[in-house]
Amino acid sequence: MKKIIFYLVALFFVVGCGGPDRSDSLVVIDAGHGGHDSGAVSGGQQEKDLVLQITKKLKKELKRKGYRVYLTRGNDRFLKLGQRTRIADKKDAKVFISIHANAISDRSRFDIVEGVETYFLQKTRDERSQRVAARENAAVLQGTDKLSRDVIIDAVLNGPKIIQSHKLAIDVQNNMMKNLNSKYSGVKNGGVRPAPFYVLVGASRPSILVEVGYITNSKERKRLFTSGYQDKIAKGIAEGVGRYIDNRKKEVGF
């Protein structure tokens, strides 16, 4: 009898504690900027370095949950827009996540504007969202005229990808804030926002862009470049991705 109980307990730990099998789900993570494109720079810190650090932590969190993970860049190099999204499609990723840090140009508001935000692809009249998208798009759209950009984005604005990207963004934003608020006070929730980020256009799957905070805000910048804060961001994103994918599997066997 004791042997039977022993084997049952062992089986529970091997099967039950491992959780659901997620090895069939690949997540592609894109660390924004890189190489000659430093992204936002403030206080001697560069966006490209920050997002790469967080991306590597996110990879570990997702792998710990059983997902397969692929990074568009694992070092300091620049990738063109088409390269980033082409990877997600070629690898048949379940979701595509691009990691960035926010910034503003008005120095008088550096220590006023802050917050964590998650974006999904959509046109919007919101000036703030347009401004953020314009800054992030600048490096990847050099030499592309406005008409071409509008044609590109209009081609993908309708359909299930946008709806599912919105759901993914909500799950990720909620879980990031839950994790950050568990240890840090005064973290501003910038919410989920639509914006015309062109890095999200090419991937034909649920895709979001996470702005982990404002590098121009001294308090937020200090937190962003600490390992503990990055850990909370990574854990929150991973939990949000897990919630989204698990729900989709229940709905449609995603």
Side-chain angles (χ1 to χ4, degrees):
M1 185 66 181
K2 288 183 179 180
K3 286 186 177 181
I4 294 175
I5 294 174
F6 173 80
Y7 285 123
L8 287 174
V9 171
L11 182 64
F12 171 80
F13 277 102
V14 170
V15 178
C17 288
D21 180 15
R22 292 165 171 161
S23 60
D24 62 336
S25 298
L26 173 70
V27 179
V28 169
I29 315 168
D30 172 52
H33 309 282
H36 70 271
D37 175 20
S38 61
V41 179
S42 186
Q45 302 282 18
Q46 300 182 101
E47 178 183 357
K48 68 173 184 177
D49 299 326
L50 170 65
V51 298
L52 184 58
Q53 291 167 10
I54 293 174
T55 294
K56 288 179 177 179
K57 287 177 179 287
L58 176 55
K59 178 181 179 180
K60 290 181 180 179
E61 286 290 336
L62 287 167
K63 287 181 75 67
R64 190 176 293 124
K65 288 180 173 292
Y67 294 104
R68 292 182 294 119
V69 182
Y70 190 91
L71 305 183
T72 59
R73 71 177 181 96
N75 52 31
D76 185 20
R77 66 189 183 101
F78 178 77
L79 290 90
K80 293 181 179 179
L81 171 65
Q83 292 175 287
R84 296 174 189 265
T85 52
R86 196 178 301 121
I87 289 170
D89 281 355
K90 186 177 180 180
K91 297 289 184 181
D92 193 26
K94 293 298 185 185
V95 297
F96 174 80
I97 304 169
S98 193
I99 308 294
H100 291 255
N102 225 328
I104 59 171
S105 57
D106 185 353
R107 288 183 172 275
S108 67
R109 293 176 55 79
F110 272 12
D111 286 336
I112 297 174
V113 180
E114 60 183 311
V116 182
E117 303 161 356
T118 303
Y119 290 84
F120 66 100
L121 179 67
Q122 187 61 279
K123 280 187 174 179
T124 178
R125 293 183 178 180
D126 179 65
E127 291 184 3
R128 178 178 176 182
S129 295
Q130 289 179 346
R131 184 187 70 245
V132 174
R135 184 183 69 79
E136 298 290 7
N137 289 338
V140 294
L141 289 175
Q142 290 179 355
T144 307
D145 62 84
K146 184 179 185 302
L147 177 60
S148 297
R149 295 197 299 267
D150 288 344
V151 169
I152 291 169
I153 198 169
D154 283 340
V156 294
L157 280 179
N158 296 312
K161 170 188 167 182
I162 303 302
I163 296 171
Q164 294 305 321
S165 295
H166 190 190
K167 290 182 178 180
L168 172 61
I170 291 171
D171 284 335
V172 166
Q173 180 71 16
N174 287 345
N175 280 278
M176 270 197 300
M177 293 309 302
K178 181 185 74 174
N179 275 274
L180 288 171
N181 287 329
S182 69
K183 184 174 180 180
Y184 299 90
S185 62
V187 181
K188 183 176 179 180
N189 186 350
V192 172
R193 296 170 175 269
F197 285 104
Y198 292 94
V199 73
L200 302 181
V201 171
S204 58
R205 59 210 62 248
S207 308
I208 60 173
L209 186 147
V210 180
E211 295 279 5
V212 296
Y214 280 77
I215 199 171
T216 43
N217 183 288
S218 60
K219 180 187 74 174
E220 201 155 44
R221 181 175 63 249
K222 184 177 180 180
R223 284 178 168 179
L224 284 168
F225 281 91
T226 61
S227 183
Y229 198 80
Q230 292 178 6
D231 287 341
K232 291 294 184 182
I233 290 173
K235 186 178 180 183
I237 296 175
E239 289 178 358
V241 169
R243 179 178 176 82
Y244 170 79
I245 292 179
D246 287 350
N247 285 338
R248 285 295 286 164
K249 282 186 174 181
K250 291 176 183 177
E251 292 172 4
V252 295
F254 174 67

